Amino acid sequence: MRLSTVTLMCTGVLFACGGRDDHDHPQLKSGADLYNHHCAACHQGSGDGTFLKGVPPVRYTTMTYRQMVHYIQGHGRAEDSRMPTFSAMPKHEAEAIAIYVRRQLNLR
Ligand code: HEC
């Protein structure tokens, strides 16, 4: 199989695996709920990531809480970032998720 075919397939998988940027979910309140809705499809509930899809484990991230909020909002990313920018996500939601990742999932 040629490399370009493999790349195309991976891209397809990444899009298929979520990146849900829908925010009409009043039932989701805690950082854990929000993380599981928006992030876990790629980074997994445990925060271990998905190695085969090139998704890094957020539980080992060295990012601070503030850096992570910016990152979720699409700032400070590589140009070819494959993570959705969540441009429609309210700030308080990104903050709740970042707190959850820092305090609950992070092992550092
Ligand atoms: C479609 C899959 C996908 C979704 C959904 C996703 N990410 Fe990511 N994430 C990635 C990929 C791929 C990377 C690797 C860097 C890149 O491509 O931008 C990444 C990188 C990261 C990093 C950087 C890790 C580090 O230490 O460098 C953090 C933090 C992160 N994601 C948090 C989140 C959070 C929080 C959410 C939910 C709001 C989320 N991601 C949703 C795919 C995803």
Side-chain angles (χ1 to χ4, degrees), residues 1-47:
M1 205 169 356
R2 294 190 26 216
L3 186 61
S4 57
T5 318
V6 176
T7 311
L8 270 177
M9 280 172 56
C10 292
T11 312
V13 168
L14 267 175
F15 278 119
C17 87
R20 291 189 280 181
D21 201 8
D22 54 304
H23 301 283
D24 184 20
H25 45 53
Q27 79 282 10
L28 304 177
K29 295 209 160 48
S30 69
D33 290 345
L34 295 164
Y35 173 88
N36 285 321
H37 182 75
H38 291 294
C39 322
C42 294
H43 290 286
Q44 297 207 55
S46 60

Side-chain angles (χ1 to χ4, degrees), residues 6-105:
V6 176
T7 311
L8 270 177
M9 280 172 56
C10 292
T11 312
V13 168
L14 267 175
F15 278 119
C17 87
R20 291 189 280 181
D21 201 8
D22 54 304
H23 301 283
D24 184 20
H25 45 53
Q27 79 282 10
L28 304 177
K29 295 209 160 48
S30 69
D33 290 345
L34 295 164
Y35 173 88
N36 285 321
H37 182 75
H38 291 294
C39 322
C42 294
H43 290 286
Q44 297 207 55
S46 60
D48 279 318
T50 312
F51 178 74
L52 290 176
K53 293 178 191 165
V55 180
V58 283
R59 65 199 305 224
Y60 299 116
T61 187
T62 55
M63 271 183 209
T64 64
Y65 157 78
R66 234 164 245 300
Q67 285 171 328
M68 205 182 309
V69 171
H70 277 251
Y71 195 87
I72 294 169
Q73 293 174 325
H75 308 294
R77 303 253 197 104
E79 223 159 82
D80 59 349
S81 173
R82 285 161 305 127
M83 182 166 137
T85 49
F86 298 102
S87 46
M89 183 184 285
K91 189 161 186 223
H92 67 86
E93 214 173 295
E95 288 170 348
I97 293 173
I99 290 173
Y100 174 71
V101 172
R102 290 282 344 155
R103 300 217 183 124
Q104 244 61 61
L105 293 182

